[in-house]
Amino acid sequence: MQLVTIIWKLLNMTTHAEKRNLPYTPEQLFDLVAGVDEYPDFLPWCMSSNIYKRDGDNIFYANLTIGYKMVREKFGSKVTLKKPNEIHVEYLSGPMKYLSNKWKFIREEDGSCTIDFYVDFEFKNFVLQNLMGMFFNEIVRRMVSSFEDRARELYGENGVQAAASDEEDRGSSIASSHSPS
């Protein structure tokens, strides 16, 4: 019986870990991921999102409704922000047995950011778990692509260069406003 359970768990694993370097600053990507209220605008299958409580600047509680065709599930989570380096999502309520999700934003020497992304979850419902297991890799691929597309939309093809240009513009406008006329 133990072997069958182990094999079933391996076949239905809903764990994904990925590191990816992107031409954006950690601050840009942190803000994008922390912007839960904007998820329905760009994240596939996200039908609604709602931040319903804040504990200071670093913790908030949110509900997400995820759906596809006739299936809709709402889940609640606690989100802990460690700006600009890390976001941790703790599962509170909904259709899952558990959910663990962590984003790390690592600044590289060239100013770009390596995202270290991890998600692990299991549904309470056996049918949903099996369905998710069959399509899990495609779902994760689309979600990651959606975040990348949104970053490109907000920050351009190279957010590192855009951020550097913004800094230069702010520096020159400050210098010119303080120069004698």
Side-chain angles (χ1 to χ4, degrees), residues 161-181:
Q161 286 179 342
S165 294
D166 288 348
E167 283 296 315
E168 286 175 22
D169 290 346
R170 276 196 290 279
S172 65
S173 69
I174 290 171
S176 64
S177 68
H178 292 296
S179 63
S181 302

Side-chain angles (χ1 to χ4, degrees), residues 2-3 12 17 23-25 31 39 51 59 70 82 98 101 106 114-115 128 137 141 143 151 163:
Q2 288 277 355
L3 182 59
N12 290 289
Y24 303 100
T25 67
D31 290 344
Y39 284 8
I51 295 174
I59 296 174
M70 300 299 287
K82 297 178 183 174
Y98 66 87
N101 178 218
I106 303 159
T114 295
I115 295 176
L128 276 178
N137 288 332
R141 187 190 66 73
M143 291 179 76

Side-chain angles (χ1 to χ4, degrees), residues 20-29 84-85 104-115 157-161 163-164:
R20 187 176 295 203
N21 182 266
L22 297 172
Y24 303 100
T25 67
E27 292 82 5
Q28 289 169 330
L29 294 173
N85 302 314
K104 291 184 181 178
F105 307 92
I106 303 159
R107 185 181 311 279
E108 301 299 341
E109 287 184 23
D110 65 356
S112 69
C113 180
T114 295
I115 295 176
E157 287 295 322
N158 188 325
V160 173
Q161 286 179 342

Side-chain angles (χ1 to χ4, degrees), residues 26-159:
E27 292 82 5
Q28 289 169 330
L29 294 173
F30 181 96
D31 290 344
L32 174 61
V33 174
V36 172
D37 285 338
E38 304 296 321
Y39 284 8
D41 294 341
F42 70 93
L43 202 56
W45 310 292
C46 183
M47 304 186 84
S48 69
S49 62
N50 174 29
I51 295 174
Y52 63 88
K53 180 181 174 187
R54 291 190 182 273
D55 280 346
D57 293 337
N58 300 322
I59 296 174
F60 65 83
Y61 298 83
N63 288 319
L64 283 172
T65 301
I66 305 296
Y68 181 73
K69 296 192 179 186
M70 300 299 287
V71 177
R72 279 182 175 58
E73 294 291 345
K74 179 178 174 181
F75 67 93
S77 57
K78 175 183 177 183
V79 180
T80 303
L81 308 172
K82 297 178 183 174
K83 191 169 186 162
N85 302 314
E86 189 174 310
I87 296 175
H88 181 255
V89 180
E90 181 183 333
Y91 176 70
L92 297 176
S93 63
M96 298 175 183
K97 284 186 183 177
Y98 66 87
L99 166 80
S100 178
N101 178 218
K102 192 173 276 190
W103 297 78
K104 291 184 181 178
F105 307 92
I106 303 159
R107 185 181 311 279
E108 301 299 341
E109 287 184 23
D110 65 356
S112 69
C113 180
T114 295
I115 295 176
D116 186 352
F117 172 75
Y118 173 81
V119 63
D120 179 29
F121 63 91
E122 183 176 345
F123 281 96
K124 294 174 190 172
N125 181 304
F126 179 77
V127 174
L128 276 178
Q129 182 65 23
N130 282 335
L131 190 63
M132 180 59 84
M134 290 182 349
F135 300 106
F136 182 70
N137 288 332
E138 176 64 17
I139 290 168
V140 170
R141 187 190 66 73
R142 283 195 189 177
M143 291 179 76
V144 170
S145 291
S146 295
F147 277 102
E148 286 184 50
D149 292 345
R150 182 65 167 188
R152 197 173 305 109
E153 181 182 310
L154 294 173
Y155 310 119
E157 287 295 322
N158 188 325

